[in-house]
């Protein structure tokens, strides 16, 4: 399949002319709920490197957690994955991150999505990018707020309530738990 360059602008677009373009058609940078994912391949790849970190298994002994991946590490992950039908060099990744790759290959974008564990449409589809951003946000909430509060947010969202109601429901749950604890303590002492 031959990929055409979009005649409208440059960056990824969804028009009938093709996928690769460098600027979005609408030229608007959208703030995706406080975390900018970006619209071009370079911006989205930069976002992945900034927000997705190596797991504990991938770190060398004594290496501090939370550091970003290097281009070479990502290239190695792609090149050593038997399920990825392409190879890439750290130089190619570097060019993609800087926006200097004239026409990033579809296979390279798909391989990057696979090793970062995101939707294969991340580079081409704004909704997929937003879902990745939302999912990562939920994972970070799990770490910061604890599993119970995130679970509560999910339950509330599933019932049509929003985050502004979490403190009210959390306070009610704490009051009920306290009341139950007080009652249990009174029952034991009597």
């Amino acid at each position: 399949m031959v990929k055409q360059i979009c005649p409208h602008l440059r960056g990824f677009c969804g028009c009938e002319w093709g996928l690769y373009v460098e600027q979005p058609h609408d030229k608007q940078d959208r703030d995706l709920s406080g975390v900018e994912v970006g619209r071009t391949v370079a911006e989205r790849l930069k976002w992945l490197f900034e927000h997705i970190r190596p797991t504990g298994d991938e770190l060398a002994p004594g290496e501090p957690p939370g550091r970003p991946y290097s281009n070479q590490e990502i290239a190695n992950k792609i090149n050593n994955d038997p399920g990825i039908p392409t190879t890439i060099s750290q130089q190619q990744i570097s060019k993609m991150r800087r926006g200097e790759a004239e026409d990033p290959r579809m296979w390279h974008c798909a391989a990057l999505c696979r090793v970062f564990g995101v939707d294969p449409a991340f580079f081409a589809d704004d909704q997929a990018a937003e879902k990745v951003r939302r999912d990562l946000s939920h994972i970070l909430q799990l770490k910061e707020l604890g599993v119970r509060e995130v679970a509560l947010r999910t339950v509330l969202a599933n019932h049509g309530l929003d985050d502004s109601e979490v403190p009210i429901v959390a306070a009610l749950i704490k009051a009920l738990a306290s009341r139950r604890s007080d009652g249990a303590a009174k029952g034991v002492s009597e």
Side-chain angles (χ1 to χ4, degrees), residues 43-59:
E43 290 169 343
R44 290 186 180 182
L45 186 55
K46 179 182 176 189
W47 189 90
L48 289 173
F49 273 91
E50 288 175 356
H51 293 93
I52 299 179
R53 305 301 176 148
T55 64
D57 297 350
E58 296 172 311
L59 295 171

Side-chain angles (χ1 to χ4, degrees), residues 123-137:
F123 287 107
D125 184 291
D126 290 342
Q127 290 178 338
E130 168 59 10
K131 183 175 181 333
V132 168
R133 191 218 49 83
R134 252 190 343 264
D135 290 349
L136 183 60
S137 176

Side-chain angles (χ1 to χ4, degrees), residues 41-46 48-49 69-79 84 86-101 104-105 107-109 111-113 115-116 123:
V41 172
E43 290 169 343
R44 290 186 180 182
L45 186 55
K46 179 182 176 189
L48 289 173
F49 273 91
Y69 281 108
S70 69
N71 293 340
Q72 187 62 57
E73 286 173 312
I74 294 300
N76 290 344
K77 286 178 70 138
I78 290 171
N79 298 335
I84 296 177
T86 191
T87 60
I88 193 167
S89 69
Q90 67 94 20
Q91 292 88 354
Q92 288 170 303
I93 293 172
S94 180
K95 281 184 175 183
M96 290 175 73
R97 287 179 75 177
R98 291 190 315 263
E100 295 173 1
R105 290 179 166 57
W107 284 110
H108 289 160
C109 292
L112 288 163
C113 288
V115 299
F116 277 108
F123 287 107

Side-chain angles (χ1 to χ4, degrees):
M1 177 176 129
V2 175
K3 187 166 56 168
Q4 295 178 306
I5 302 298
C6 175
H8 298 108
L9 295 167
R10 304 174 336 162
F12 268 116
C13 81
C15 76
E16 72 267 56
W17 293 99
L19 289 176
Y20 181 73
V21 290
E22 282 219 8
Q23 297 287 327
H25 284 293
D26 58 10
K27 291 189 176 184
Q28 293 177 340
D29 288 333
R30 293 186 314 174
D31 178 11
L32 300 175
S33 300
V35 178
E36 181 65 42
V37 173
R39 299 289 300 268
T40 66
V41 172
E43 290 169 343
R44 290 186 180 182
L45 186 55
K46 179 182 176 189
W47 189 90
L48 289 173
F49 273 91
E50 288 175 356
H51 293 93
I52 299 179
R53 305 301 176 148
T55 64
D57 297 350
E58 296 172 311
L59 295 171
E63 196 172 14
R67 68 159 178 79
Y69 281 108
S70 69
N71 293 340
Q72 187 62 57
E73 286 173 312
I74 294 300
N76 290 344
K77 286 178 70 138
I78 290 171
N79 298 335
N80 295 328
D81 186 330
I84 296 177
T86 191
T87 60
I88 193 167
S89 69
Q90 67 94 20
Q91 292 88 354
Q92 288 170 303
I93 293 172
S94 180
K95 281 184 175 183
M96 290 175 73
R97 287 179 75 177
R98 291 190 315 263
E100 295 173 1
E102 290 183 23
D103 188 8
R105 290 179 166 57
M106 178 184 69
W107 284 110
H108 289 160
C109 292
L112 288 163
C113 288
R114 180 175 170 124
V115 299
F116 277 108
V118 300
D119 186 324
F122 176 79
F123 287 107
D125 184 291
D126 290 342
Q127 290 178 338
E130 168 59 10
K131 183 175 181 333
V132 168
R133 191 218 49 83
R134 252 190 343 264
D135 290 349
L136 183 60
S137 176
H138 289 139
I139 290 168
L140 294 174
Q141 285 178 1
L142 282 170
K143 289 180 177 180
E144 292 176 14
L145 303 174
V147 174
R148 290 183 183 173
E149 189 169 339
V150 173
L152 175 59
R153 288 176 191 271
T154 302
V155 169
L156 292 177
N158 288 341
H159 288 87
L161 302 171
D162 63 36
D163 285 352
S164 67
E165 293 153 313
V166 169
I168 297 166
V169 175
L172 180 59
I173 290 171
K174 286 178 185 174
L176 288 171
S178 175
R179 188 173 174 191
R180 177 179 257 186
S181 294
D182 291 346
K186 286 180 184 176
V188 170
S189 63
E190 292 177 358

